[in-house]
Amino acid sequence: MKRPDAWHDAYRAIYSTTGCIRLTVAQAAAQMGTSPKRVTQQYPYGWSGQGRGKTIRLDTLLDQEFKLY
């Protein structure tokens, strides 16, 4: 499935803000406008690590946001 232009725009915007491809729970929550507790529930797939060390790839996060998975 081809990713829409809005996906690419969001990827560039978040990457330019954070400067990394793998986001922590706190970074993902801040970028997605939700709480750190809620972000792992709202976007359940693709997390690696445990507890506060959890991370997610930016492309996986955006695929869930744009319902491309």
Side-chain angles (χ1 to χ4, degrees):
M1 177 180 287
K2 186 175 186 226
R3 292 173 172 153
D5 290 337
W7 185 98
H8 292 283
D9 293 342
Y11 187 97
R12 281 189 288 274
I14 293 171
Y15 182 78
S16 69
T17 302
T18 62
C20 54
I21 295 172
R22 187 163 287 281
L23 304 176
T24 64
V25 172
Q27 288 173 320
Q31 295 301 318
M32 303 314 282
T34 189
S35 70
K37 183 177 179 179
R38 183 89 174 103
V39 75
T40 57
Q41 296 167 351
Q42 195 170 349
Y43 306 101
Y45 306 110
W47 292 97
S48 61
Q50 296 281 332
R52 294 178 191 242
K54 277 187 176 180
T55 60
I56 190 168
R57 286 178 48 101
L58 178 54
D59 58 344
T60 304
L61 181 68
L62 289 176
D63 283 347
Q64 292 177 76
E65 174 67 19
F66 284 88
K67 300 184 181 7
L68 300 174
Y69 53 94

